[in-house]
Amino acid sequence: MSLRRGGPCFERCEVAQRITSRENDKIKYACKLARSAAFRGSENAFFAEGLKLCTDLAAACPLKVIYYTAAALEKTPALEHLGRESYLVEEHVAEKLAEGASHQGVFGVFQRPAPPFEDLPVPGRLLALERVQDPGNVGALLRSAAAFGFEGILLSPGCADPFGPKALRASMGPAARLKVVPTPHLPDALAALRQKGVTALAAALYNSRPLDEVPAALPGGVCLVIGSEGQGLTDAAIAACDAAVRIPITDKVESLNAGVAGSVLLWHFRGAGR
């Protein structure tokens, strides 16, 4: 992997300092970001681990602090120029950042993007998640959304943080490139999108149309609405949509999980809004 110099971060970066203590304040701060969604929100920052993930994220949002081991720096010398602040950490310090002995020796603290609701692309392709609590499902859905050309994500209260470590590993970076917008009341946000001409479609088993009967191209764009793993969508969210759709499946399984079902829906509507 090559990292090219020349971006603004190379002008701002400092000479790397060495961190030898696991109790260093910079290390404690990064670990708290990794553990606490509330702290990430209050700091407008998040923590990521891994060479590819950190370099991909750095192309989409500001990398405030980068930590790396001597072994990682030897493999990728450009790491010391990637962040605004750079720290060379001892192996035992890296293990604390990674919460284990297995790691790539590269960690970053990033500024968290915070686009407003008005920045959602309309017309366009949007995904809305209601109370999807599994970070792996949230990450997988964001990855699928990016793969199939969706550009904006709405999150209701109760969703897993897409900037948490598990969701970031599952998504491999799209959270920073997509417009991810938390909303305090999803039905109101869906109503506002419909007023702008977006077709909102709820993923639901009952009173719904089979997916293969729904046109993939919709004028004004589409917003797919996916509910929680156990409960599905609330009645209020379904009522706020134009219609409900379902994925036809055999009677050998009761349902698909949120990540799989959402990905199938995203693929079907990959041409909507073009």
Side-chain angles (χ1 to χ4, degrees), residues 77-210:
L79 282 173
E80 64 180 333
H81 304 293
L82 191 60
R84 293 177 179 178
E85 297 180 32
S86 299
Y87 295 95
L88 182 65
V89 299
E90 299 287 341
E91 183 67 24
H92 68 285
V93 178
E95 290 176 3
K96 179 172 182 178
L97 288 171
E99 297 188 342
S102 177
H103 60 80
Q104 297 179 22
V106 181
F107 313 88
V109 171
F110 295 82
Q111 182 176 317
R112 180 173 180 147
F117 179 82
E118 292 73 21
D119 278 4
L120 289 172
V122 176
R125 281 161 283 173
L126 310 172
L127 172 66
L129 304 181
E130 185 182 44
R131 303 179 304 174
V132 178
Q133 299 174 341
D134 186 307
N137 279 337
V138 169
L141 285 166
L142 264 63
R143 188 170 186 175
S144 293
F148 299 130
F150 282 65
E151 302 164 289
I153 312 292
L154 278 170
L155 299 176
S156 82
C159 282
D161 182 8
F163 294 96
K166 290 182 179 179
L168 283 172
R169 284 195 293 271
S171 69
M172 287 306 295
R177 298 192 296 271
L178 299 169
K179 295 186 184 299
V180 180
V181 179
T183 178
H185 192 251
L186 184 59
D188 287 348
L190 295 173
L193 290 174
R194 291 177 64 191
Q195 288 180 350
K196 296 181 179 181
V198 176
T199 299
L201 296 175
L205 292 176
Y206 304 106
N207 299 318
S208 57
R209 296 175 60 188

Side-chain angles (χ1 to χ4, degrees), residues 10-11 19 28 31 35 63 115 117 132 146 240 261 274:
F10 295 104
E11 299 173 2
I19 296 179
K28 289 182 176 180
C31 289
R35 292 192 303 265
L63 173 54
F117 179 82
V132 178
R274 288 181 176 172

Side-chain angles (χ1 to χ4, degrees), residues 182-247:
T183 178
H185 192 251
L186 184 59
D188 287 348
L190 295 173
L193 290 174
R194 291 177 64 191
Q195 288 180 350
K196 296 181 179 181
V198 176
T199 299
L201 296 175
L205 292 176
Y206 304 106
N207 299 318
S208 57
R209 296 175 60 188
L211 184 60
D212 50 9
E213 295 181 6
V214 181
L218 297 167
V222 65
C223 180
L224 297 177
V225 190
I226 310 294
S228 70
E229 295 84 357
Q231 303 298 321
L233 290 169
T234 60
D235 291 341
I238 295 174
C241 294
D242 292 278
V245 297
R246 68 181 185 275
I247 301 168

